[in-house]
Amino acid sequence: MIDGSSHATADARPTMKHVAALAGVGVKTVSRVMNNEPNVSQATIARVMDAVGRLNYELDVNAGNLKRADRRTMTIGLVLGSVTNPFSGLVHRAIEEYAWERGTAVYAASLDDDATRPEAREETLISAFLRRRVDGLILTTTSENQSYLGAAQRQGTKMVFVDRQPVGLVADAVLSDNRASARSATEHLLAHGHRRIAYLGDKPQNWTSRERLDGFSAAMRDAAIPAADAPIENGVSDVVEADAALARLLARPHPPTAVFAAQNLISLRMVKALRTAGVHQRIALIGFDDFPAADLLDPGLTVVSQNPTEIGRLAAERMFARIGGDTSAAAVHHVPTTVVPRGSGEIPPPSA
Amino acid sequence: MIDGSSHATADARPTMKHVAALAGVGVKTVSRVMNNEPNVSQATIARVMDAVGRLNYELDVNAGNLKRADRRTMTIGLVLGSVTNPFSGLVHRAIEEYAWERGTAVYAASLDDDATRPEAREETLISAFLRRRVDGLILTTTSENQSYLGAAQRQGTKMVFVDRQPVGLVADAVLSDNRASARSATEHLLAHGHRRIAYLGDKPQNWTSRERLDGFSAAMRDAAIPAADAPIENGVSDVVEADAALARLLARPHPPTAVFAAQNLISLRMVKALRTAGVHQRIALIGFDDFPAADLLDPGLTVVSQNPTEIGRLAAERMFARIGGDTSAAAVHHVPTTVVPRGSGEIPPPSA
DNA sequence: GTGAAAGCGCTAACAT
DNA sequence: ATGTTAGCGCTTTCAC
């Protein structure tokens, strides 16, 4: 027994037939044992399990699903923003946890916002999942319209959207109330006495971006702030751009006394830009999305904290409810956000 | 056409037989078209594709794999630390990218270090992957010994380890040279004049933790520093513990002038502890693993930066080489790390 | 260039 | 309590 090749375990992948032969039973009996079905004697179970162990047999669930009545593959597909993003990472983690607890495997695929042809990649990934007959798809789509998923949905694939609402398709969605969150953030700054507040946002092609901008605008309008005192910078996707955007804001006749960075990466870039400009102790900043080191900055970064873990858990819960036969009307589920004050968002305006 | 049920697309999932019937050809011809096989006339291809479009047919790859000669499922399984950890997230992302480019789907599963019975969960997840006949497994295992994977390996499942070396199993591994990296970090502090350096590490059950501690100890020994000046605190897994550990260090007759936090979460906890103790501008700190906001801290956090993206890419490369038939000897692949100076690691000792 | 028949590994339905 | 037969949706083999 030098190299394992003379070991009792065979090198070829065993099938149920091999196990049945070795145990001296029929294949259906092996199937019963492997699937914990009733009506098998303890003695037979023992003999089958012994053979399974000797051969290191693992049930082939794909083959079984071919014939099985419910035709469930016990897999779901996840299409999210990159797992590199802490938000997506937590959503991913929560869904995975929920799925594995229910014996369901999770396919993961990332969608980078900045890809060349995002819709093409999105459709390719989803098609790959459909060809593998996933029971459901949990999606953060980049495309403008998801009606192309209608056929797959009618054919039985369950769908739940995360961090977005579906367009051209009726399906459950789980997300933060982006508009209300942006409003809260803005009102937080207003409550601390600010009147001139700048908004830094992501690309407006992005639906969540538009929602956040709407929330900001609504809050400013309600506070009777003229649009001239609510400057907007969209599409800040780079540190250099952040510096430039801040420079533009500071060059205004009446520069803003506070900044709302409505996306997590933009928040980081803005922390740096304010620092570089030497105004980080003077201009208030509130960011969107929390991250581990936010409280270690100086000043600590005040953020609108989403609850990605709860978003993921709830999305998974909806998914498994649908898979389990829930046919209630599709709905949008909002997960609450909270403003976490850490210092940067509580800097008062100079006048105060 | 009010609700789509009267639409041309059927609600039942179509099979090749349906497509063949609608296109007026045999199933084998449909199979040829779906798999881009030669010897089909353009006219036939067009008719088949038309039927495919009308029925919204998607090939069932699981069914096909049952009979296909190579029996490849075009899926791999990933068992990593939680995608919540930025290191794992980047490794995950790189592997995913590489796999999808090769038409391979990726199953993802997280393994939390702090689970109750980590090996049980590990084996459950891996078994789930094997039952789905993945072509390969890319693993960051928690178990002490992986010889239980030998049978699956002999049966054809390729395996590549990430961030760990396999024990009791011969397989490729891709990881940072933890020992050398810890040595570099320590030498960086020594080069800045420090003689009394504390080491804060993860649980010593963890193999990478032991390697890092070894690297630290070797560097200190080479510098002829007595062990009394190289205090070690292991298993700091909490902010409170970090405070306590720092307090113990500062209470020493000759407190350390520098600290090496040899794990990413511990680095964060230590930043906070030093800040709380009011010594963050006085005691040097070097962390392990980079993170997005490290340069935004004050002082900026000097770290040993691993290259998780390259680790992931290389692991995927090895995996696909093995799947493609590479039978060369299994090897350990070290991916270089770099010390990124940002301020905290360059604070001189009081005497200098 | 095309199709008919066999069978991949398993489960359903029906024996016994 | 156990085994036998058919067939899931596809690819292989081989015939035309």
Side-chain angles (χ1 to χ4, degrees):
Chain A
M1 202 142 72
I2 294 166
D3 60 7
S5 61
S6 56
H7 201 273
T9 53
D11 282 10
R13 211 173 238 109
T15 71
M16 233 174 216
K17 222 146 80 177
H18 298 121
V19 176
L22 184 58
V25 299
V27 284
K28 179 66 231 195
T29 299
V30 178
S31 175
R32 284 194 182 93
V33 174
M34 296 308 291
N35 293 286
N36 296 310
E37 284 173 31
N39 297 327
V40 190
S41 73
Q42 285 304 319
T44 307
I45 291 177
R47 279 167 57 222
V48 169
M49 288 314 290
D50 179 62
V52 166
R54 292 166 104 78
L55 298 173
N56 281 289
Y57 173 72
E58 293 271 6
L59 188 63
D60 186 330
V61 299
N62 289 333
N65 283 126
L66 213 49
K67 181 72 182 178
R68 181 174 277 115
D70 60 18
R71 303 246 39 200
R72 285 184 47 191
T73 55
M74 302 297 274
T75 59
I76 61 172
L78 231 61
V79 181
L80 297 178
S82 177
V83 279
T84 296
N85 187 315
F87 177 84
S88 302
L90 287 166
V91 171
H92 184 159
R93 183 76 186 85
I95 292 172
E96 209 188 69
E97 187 81 35
Y98 198 100
W100 280 115
E101 281 170 5
R102 284 152 187 81
T104 298
V106 178
Y107 283 117
S110 295
L111 221 49
D112 285 320
D113 291 327
D114 46 310
T116 23
R117 283 254 299 126
E119 323 84 49
R121 181 167 163 77
E122 179 181 316
E123 295 201 31
T124 304
L125 291 174
I126 290 175
S127 172
F129 287 154
L130 293 175
R131 285 199 304 272
R132 287 171 173 84
R133 296 295 184 268
V134 294
D135 296 330
L137 290 168
I138 297 185
L139 306 163
T140 299
T141 49
T142 318
S143 59
E144 284 295 313
N145 188 293
Q146 293 81 44
S147 52
Y148 71 96
L149 292 172
Q153 192 185 42
R154 282 191 297 278
Q155 291 171 9
T157 310
K158 309 303 177 192
M159 300 184 187
V160 173
F161 286 75
V162 158
D163 199 29
R164 266 151 193 68
Q165 288 193 23
V167 177
L169 191 79
V170 177
D172 291 307
V174 180
L175 63 163
S176 303
D177 188 335
N178 286 285
R179 193 187 299 229
S181 303
R183 176 187 274 276
S184 298
T186 311
E187 287 171 349
H188 183 82
L189 294 172
L190 288 166
H192 281 268
H194 295 276
R195 308 295 291 170
R196 296 195 305 279
I197 306 174
Y199 175 92
L200 298 191
D202 207 346
K203 298 181 297 292
Q205 290 90 309
N206 194 314
W207 178 76
T208 56
S209 302
R210 291 196 300 271
E211 287 284 303
R212 292 175 192 179
L213 179 52
D214 283 354
F216 168 76
S217 300
M220 293 299 267
R221 201 170 45 241
D222 288 359
I225 311 279
D229 285 346
I232 292 159
E233 292 274 352
N234 269 324
V236 180
S237 58
D238 187 301
V239 178
V240 180
E241 284 177 42
D243 286 334
L246 180 61
R248 276 194 297 277
L249 293 172
L250 296 180
R252 296 170 71 90
H254 297 287
T257 60
V259 172
F260 173 29
Q263 197 253 19
N264 54 4
L265 296 179
I266 297 176
S267 307
L268 284 179
R269 292 179 193 120
M270 215 46 210
V271 168
K272 185 147 202 150
L274 291 169
R275 182 86 58 88
T276 304
V279 297
H280 59 295
Q281 303 286 7
R282 206 149 53 72
I283 295 187
L285 172 66
I286 182 163
F288 213 108
D289 256 345
D290 210 353
F291 60 95
D295 60 329
L296 299 176
L297 301 179
D298 187 29
L301 183 64
T302 297
V303 296
V304 180
S305 176
Q306 300 194 72
N307 195 338
T309 300
E310 175 58 15
I311 289 177
R313 196 203 58 76
L314 189 51
E317 185 184 299
R318 291 315 308 150
M319 172 54 70
F320 280 84
R322 294 300 180 187
I323 291 175
D326 178 350
T327 54
S328 61
V332 175
H333 304 264
H334 281 304
V335 174
T337 61
T338 46
V339 172
V340 182
R342 293 207 181 94
S344 74
E346 293 72 45
I347 296 174
S351 50
Chain B
M1 204 142 70
I2 294 166
D3 60 6
S5 61
S6 56
H7 201 274
T9 52
D11 281 9
R13 212 174 238 108
T15 72
M16 237 177 213
K17 220 146 82 177
H18 299 122
V19 177
L22 184 57
V25 299
V27 286
K28 177 66 234 195
T29 298
V30 178
S31 174
R32 285 195 180 92
V33 173
M34 296 309 289
N35 294 288
N36 296 311
E37 285 173 31
N39 298 326
V40 189
S41 73
Q42 284 304 321
T44 307
I45 291 177
R47 278 168 56 222
V48 169
M49 288 313 291
D50 178 62
V52 166
R54 290 166 106 78
L55 297 173
N56 281 290
Y57 173 71
E58 293 270 6
L59 188 64
D60 185 330
V61 300
N62 289 333
N65 283 126
L66 213 48
K67 181 73 181 178
R68 182 174 279 114
D70 60 17
R71 303 244 40 201
R72 285 184 46 192
T73 55
M74 303 297 276
T75 58
I76 61 173
L78 231 61
V79 180
L80 297 178
S82 176
V83 281
T84 297
N85 186 315
F87 177 84
S88 302
L90 287 166
V91 171
H92 184 158
R93 182 77 186 83
I95 292 172
E96 209 187 69
E97 186 83 34
Y98 197 100
W100 279 115
E101 282 169 5
R102 285 153 187 80
T104 298
V106 178
Y107 283 116
S110 295
L111 221 49
D112 285 319
D113 291 326
D114 46 309
T116 21
R117 282 254 300 126
E119 325 83 48
R121 181 168 162 79
E122 178 183 317
E123 295 201 31
T124 304
L125 292 174
I126 289 174
S127 171
F129 287 154
L130 293 175
R131 285 200 305 272
R132 288 173 172 84
R133 296 293 185 268
V134 294
D135 296 330
L137 291 169
I138 297 184
L139 305 163
T140 299
T141 51
T142 317
S143 59
E144 284 295 314
N145 187 291
Q146 293 81 44
S147 52
Y148 71 95
L149 291 171
Q153 193 184 42
R154 282 193 297 279
Q155 291 172 8
T157 309
K158 309 304 177 192
M159 300 184 186
V160 174
F161 286 75
V162 158
D163 200 29
R164 264 150 194 69
Q165 289 193 24
V167 177
L169 192 77
V170 177
D172 291 307
V174 180
L175 63 162
S176 303
D177 188 336
N178 286 286
R179 192 187 300 231
S181 303
R183 175 186 275 276
S184 298
T186 311
E187 287 171 349
H188 183 83
L189 294 171
L190 289 166
H192 281 268
H194 295 277
R195 309 295 292 169
R196 297 195 305 279
I197 306 175
Y199 174 93
L200 297 190
D202 207 346
K203 300 180 296 291
Q205 292 89 311
N206 193 315
W207 178 76
T208 57
S209 301
R210 292 196 300 271
E211 287 285 303
R212 292 175 191 178
L213 178 53
D214 284 354
F216 167 77
S217 300
M220 294 298 269
R221 202 169 45 242
D222 288 0
I225 311 278
D229 286 345
I232 292 159
E233 291 275 353
N234 268 324
V236 180
S237 58
D238 188 300
V239 178
V240 181
E241 284 177 42
D243 286 334
L246 180 61
R248 276 194 297 277
L249 292 172
L250 295 180
R252 297 171 71 89
H254 297 286
T257 61
V259 172
F260 173 29
Q263 197 252 21
N264 53 5
L265 296 179
I266 296 176
S267 307
L268 284 179
R269 292 178 193 121
M270 215 45 209
V271 168
K272 185 143 200 153
L274 290 169
R275 183 84 60 87
T276 304
V279 295
H280 58 296
Q281 303 285 6
R282 206 150 52 72
I283 294 188
L285 172 66
I286 182 162
F288 213 108
D289 256 345
D290 211 354
F291 59 95
D295 61 328
L296 299 177
L297 302 178
D298 187 29
L301 183 64
T302 297
V303 296
V304 179
S305 175
Q306 299 195 72
N307 195 339
T309 300
E310 176 57 15
I311 289 177
R313 197 203 59 75
L314 189 51
E317 186 185 299
R318 291 315 309 149
M319 173 53 70
F320 280 84
R322 294 299 179 190
I323 291 176
D326 179 350
T327 54
S328 61
V332 176
H333 304 264
H334 281 304
V335 174
T337 61
T338 46
V339 172
V340 182
R342 293 207 182 94
S344 73
E346 293 73 44
I347 296 173
S351 50

mmCIF file of all heavy atoms in Angstrom, chain A residues 31-54:
data_model
loop_
_atom_site.group_PDB
_atom_site.id
_atom_site.type_symbol
_atom_site.label_atom_id
_atom_site.label_comp_id
_atom_site.label_asym_id
_atom_site.label_seq_id
_atom_site.Cartn_x
_atom_site.Cartn_y
_atom_site.Cartn_z
ATOM 1 N N SER A 31 -30.871 3.360 -3.365
ATOM 2 C CA SER A 31 -31.520 4.668 -3.504
ATOM 3 C C SER A 31 -32.297 5.002 -2.239
ATOM 4 O O SER A 31 -32.228 6.126 -1.733
ATOM 5 C CB SER A 31 -32.454 4.653 -4.717
ATOM 6 O OG SER A 31 -33.178 5.860 -4.800
ATOM 7 N N ARG A 32 -33.010 4.035 -1.733
ATOM 8 C CA ARG A 32 -33.784 4.261 -0.500
ATOM 9 C C ARG A 32 -32.874 4.680 0.643
ATOM 10 O O ARG A 32 -33.166 5.619 1.378
ATOM 11 C CB ARG A 32 -34.537 2.984 -0.109
ATOM 12 C CG ARG A 32 -35.769 2.708 -0.964
ATOM 13 C CD ARG A 32 -36.659 1.646 -0.343
ATOM 14 N NE ARG A 32 -37.809 1.362 -1.203
ATOM 15 C CZ ARG A 32 -37.825 0.389 -2.115
ATOM 16 N NH1 ARG A 32 -36.783 -0.409 -2.277
ATOM 17 N NH2 ARG A 32 -38.894 0.216 -2.869
ATOM 18 N N VAL A 33 -31.773 3.979 0.769
ATOM 19 C CA VAL A 33 -30.854 4.287 1.863
ATOM 20 C C VAL A 33 -30.246 5.677 1.683
ATOM 21 O O VAL A 33 -30.222 6.487 2.612
ATOM 22 C CB VAL A 33 -29.737 3.227 1.949
ATOM 23 C CG1 VAL A 33 -28.703 3.627 2.996
ATOM 24 C CG2 VAL A 33 -30.330 1.869 2.293
ATOM 25 N N MET A 34 -29.792 5.949 0.482
ATOM 26 C CA MET A 34 -29.136 7.234 0.227
ATOM 27 C C MET A 34 -30.077 8.407 0.448
ATOM 28 O O MET A 34 -29.642 9.504 0.772
ATOM 29 C CB MET A 34 -28.596 7.290 -1.209
ATOM 30 C CG MET A 34 -27.494 6.279 -1.522
ATOM 31 S SD MET A 34 -26.117 6.293 -0.337
ATOM 32 C CE MET A 34 -25.353 7.871 -0.700
ATOM 33 N N ASN A 35 -31.373 8.175 0.230
ATOM 34 C CA ASN A 35 -32.338 9.260 0.381
ATOM 35 C C ASN A 35 -33.145 9.174 1.669
ATOM 36 O O ASN A 35 -34.159 9.856 1.812
ATOM 37 C CB ASN A 35 -33.282 9.271 -0.825
ATOM 38 C CG ASN A 35 -32.554 9.637 -2.105
ATOM 39 O OD1 ASN A 35 -32.196 10.785 -2.319
ATOM 40 N ND2 ASN A 35 -32.312 8.646 -2.950
ATOM 41 N N ASN A 36 -32.671 8.340 2.569
ATOM 42 C CA ASN A 36 -33.339 8.190 3.866
ATOM 43 C C ASN A 36 -34.818 7.875 3.730
ATOM 44 O O ASN A 36 -35.648 8.410 4.464
ATOM 45 C CB ASN A 36 -33.156 9.464 4.705
ATOM 46 C CG ASN A 36 -31.711 9.704 5.044
ATOM 47 O OD1 ASN A 36 -31.013 8.813 5.530
ATOM 48 N ND2 ASN A 36 -31.234 10.899 4.754
ATOM 49 N N GLU A 37 -35.141 7.033 2.767
ATOM 50 C CA GLU A 37 -36.538 6.636 2.624
ATOM 51 C C GLU A 37 -36.833 5.494 3.593
ATOM 52 O O GLU A 37 -35.936 4.757 3.984
ATOM 53 C CB GLU A 37 -36.806 6.181 1.181
ATOM 54 C CG GLU A 37 -36.900 7.348 0.208
ATOM 55 C CD GLU A 37 -37.004 6.881 -1.238
ATOM 56 O OE1 GLU A 37 -37.570 5.799 -1.485
ATOM 57 O OE2 GLU A 37 -36.500 7.606 -2.110
ATOM 58 N N PRO A 38 -38.103 5.369 3.986
ATOM 59 C CA PRO A 38 -38.472 4.339 4.961
ATOM 60 C C PRO A 38 -38.503 2.944 4.325
ATOM 61 O O PRO A 38 -38.234 2.792 3.143
ATOM 62 C CB PRO A 38 -39.867 4.767 5.402
ATOM 63 C CG PRO A 38 -40.409 5.553 4.261
ATOM 64 C CD PRO A 38 -39.239 6.212 3.595
ATOM 65 N N ASN A 39 -38.836 1.980 5.135
ATOM 66 C CA ASN A 39 -39.018 0.601 4.668
ATOM 67 C C ASN A 39 -37.733 -0.076 4.210
ATOM 68 O O ASN A 39 -37.693 -0.721 3.165
ATOM 69 C CB ASN A 39 -40.059 0.536 3.541
ATOM 70 C CG ASN A 39 -41.426 0.984 4.003
ATOM 71 O OD1 ASN A 39 -41.793 0.774 5.165
ATOM 72 N ND2 ASN A 39 -42.155 1.623 3.123
ATOM 73 N N VAL A 40 -36.681 0.146 4.971
ATOM 74 C CA VAL A 40 -35.453 -0.617 4.748
ATOM 75 C C VAL A 40 -35.020 -1.121 6.125
ATOM 76 O O VAL A 40 -35.041 -0.349 7.091
ATOM 77 C CB VAL A 40 -34.321 0.242 4.142
ATOM 78 C CG1 VAL A 40 -33.158 -0.636 3.713
ATOM 79 C CG2 VAL A 40 -34.829 1.066 2.972
ATOM 80 N N SER A 41 -34.682 -2.374 6.220
ATOM 81 C CA SER A 41 -34.292 -2.930 7.519
ATOM 82 C C SER A 41 -32.947 -2.369 7.955
ATOM 83 O O SER A 41 -32.117 -2.007 7.128
ATOM 84 C CB SER A 41 -34.218 -4.454 7.427
ATOM 85 O OG SER A 41 -33.075 -4.833 6.700
ATOM 86 N N GLN A 42 -32.765 -2.326 9.255
ATOM 87 C CA GLN A 42 -31.508 -1.824 9.805
ATOM 88 C C GLN A 42 -30.326 -2.595 9.251
ATOM 89 O O GLN A 42 -29.287 -2.010 8.929
ATOM 90 C CB GLN A 42 -31.525 -1.917 11.336
ATOM 91 C CG GLN A 42 -32.386 -0.847 12.001
ATOM 92 C CD GLN A 42 -31.974 0.569 11.599
ATOM 93 O OE1 GLN A 42 -30.791 0.875 11.511
ATOM 94 N NE2 GLN A 42 -32.950 1.420 11.342
ATOM 95 N N ALA A 43 -30.489 -3.898 9.117
ATOM 96 C CA ALA A 43 -29.387 -4.741 8.630
ATOM 97 C C ALA A 43 -29.011 -4.341 7.205
ATOM 98 O O ALA A 43 -27.825 -4.202 6.872
ATOM 99 C CB ALA A 43 -29.813 -6.210 8.677
ATOM 100 N N THR A 44 -30.015 -4.131 6.378
ATOM 101 C CA THR A 44 -29.749 -3.751 4.990
ATOM 102 C C THR A 44 -29.079 -2.384 4.916
ATOM 103 O O THR A 44 -28.116 -2.186 4.178
ATOM 104 C CB THR A 44 -31.067 -3.719 4.193
ATOM 105 O OG1 THR A 44 -31.747 -4.963 4.367
ATOM 106 C CG2 THR A 44 -30.791 -3.499 2.718
ATOM 107 N N ILE A 45 -29.596 -1.462 5.717
ATOM 108 C CA ILE A 45 -28.984 -0.127 5.756
ATOM 109 C C ILE A 45 -27.504 -0.254 6.075
ATOM 110 O O ILE A 45 -26.657 0.359 5.418
ATOM 111 C CB ILE A 45 -29.680 0.768 6.817
ATOM 112 C CG1 ILE A 45 -31.104 1.104 6.370
ATOM 113 C CG2 ILE A 45 -28.889 2.045 7.044
ATOM 114 C CD1 ILE A 45 -31.897 1.929 7.374
ATOM 115 N N ALA A 46 -27.209 -1.060 7.071
ATOM 116 C CA ALA A 46 -25.816 -1.224 7.489
ATOM 117 C C ALA A 46 -24.971 -1.768 6.348
ATOM 118 O O ALA A 46 -23.871 -1.274 6.087
ATOM 119 C CB ALA A 46 -25.749 -2.151 8.700
ATOM 120 N N ARG A 47 -25.487 -2.773 5.643
ATOM 121 C CA ARG A 47 -24.707 -3.356 4.558
ATOM 122 C C ARG A 47 -24.495 -2.361 3.423
ATOM 123 O O ARG A 47 -23.414 -2.277 2.845
ATOM 124 C CB ARG A 47 -25.397 -4.624 4.036
ATOM 125 C CG ARG A 47 -25.090 -5.838 4.913
ATOM 126 C CD ARG A 47 -25.990 -7.019 4.634
ATOM 127 N NE ARG A 47 -25.946 -7.439 3.233
ATOM 128 C CZ ARG A 47 -27.023 -7.780 2.524
ATOM 129 N NH1 ARG A 47 -28.215 -7.735 3.082
ATOM 130 N NH2 ARG A 47 -26.894 -8.175 1.291
ATOM 131 N N VAL A 48 -25.530 -1.606 3.131
ATOM 132 C CA VAL A 48 -25.404 -0.602 2.069
ATOM 133 C C VAL A 48 -24.388 0.465 2.463
ATOM 134 O O VAL A 48 -23.500 0.827 1.680
ATOM 135 C CB VAL A 48 -26.772 0.050 1.763
ATOM 136 C CG1 VAL A 48 -26.598 1.269 0.874
ATOM 137 C CG2 VAL A 48 -27.703 -0.963 1.102
ATOM 138 N N MET A 49 -24.505 0.951 3.687
ATOM 139 C CA MET A 49 -23.597 2.008 4.125
ATOM 140 C C MET A 49 -22.159 1.516 4.162
ATOM 141 O O MET A 49 -21.227 2.283 3.902
ATOM 142 C CB MET A 49 -24.021 2.535 5.501
ATOM 143 C CG MET A 49 -25.289 3.380 5.472
ATOM 144 S SD MET A 49 -25.290 4.609 4.137
ATOM 145 C CE MET A 49 -24.035 5.755 4.731
ATOM 146 N N ASP A 50 -22.008 0.263 4.471
ATOM 147 C CA ASP A 50 -20.665 -0.307 4.467
ATOM 148 C C ASP A 50 -20.082 -0.255 3.051
ATOM 149 O O ASP A 50 -18.951 0.178 2.845
ATOM 150 C CB ASP A 50 -20.725 -1.752 4.970
ATOM 151 C CG ASP A 50 -19.347 -2.398 4.952
ATOM 152 O OD1 ASP A 50 -18.460 -1.899 5.665
ATOM 153 O OD2 ASP A 50 -19.159 -3.373 4.187
ATOM 154 N N ALA A 51 -20.889 -0.656 2.085
ATOM 155 C CA ALA A 51 -20.438 -0.629 0.686
ATOM 156 C C ALA A 51 -20.156 0.803 0.239
ATOM 157 O O ALA A 51 -19.167 1.081 -0.453
ATOM 158 C CB ALA A 51 -21.492 -1.271 -0.207
ATOM 159 N N VAL A 52 -21.027 1.710 0.670
ATOM 160 C CA VAL A 52 -20.843 3.127 0.332
ATOM 161 C C VAL A 52 -19.493 3.612 0.843
ATOM 162 O O VAL A 52 -18.742 4.280 0.137
ATOM 163 C CB VAL A 52 -21.990 3.975 0.931
ATOM 164 C CG1 VAL A 52 -21.655 5.461 0.905
ATOM 165 C CG2 VAL A 52 -23.286 3.717 0.179
ATOM 166 N N GLY A 53 -19.204 3.244 2.074
ATOM 167 C CA GLY A 53 -17.940 3.644 2.666
ATOM 168 C C GLY A 53 -16.747 3.044 1.955
ATOM 169 O O GLY A 53 -15.765 3.735 1.674
ATOM 170 N N ARG A 54 -16.839 1.762 1.644
ATOM 171 C CA ARG A 54 -15.721 1.089 0.962
ATOM 172 C C ARG A 54 -15.436 1.719 -0.391
ATOM 173 O O ARG A 54 -14.290 1.839 -0.795
ATOM 174 C CB ARG A 54 -16.048 -0.395 0.750
ATOM 175 C CG ARG A 54 -16.107 -1.203 2.021
ATOM 176 C CD ARG A 54 -16.773 -2.543 1.736
ATOM 177 N NE ARG A 54 -15.818 -3.648 1.670
ATOM 178 C CZ ARG A 54 -15.282 -4.221 2.734
ATOM 179 N NH1 ARG A 54 -15.596 -3.787 3.935
ATOM 180 N NH2 ARG A 54 -14.439 -5.232 2.602
#
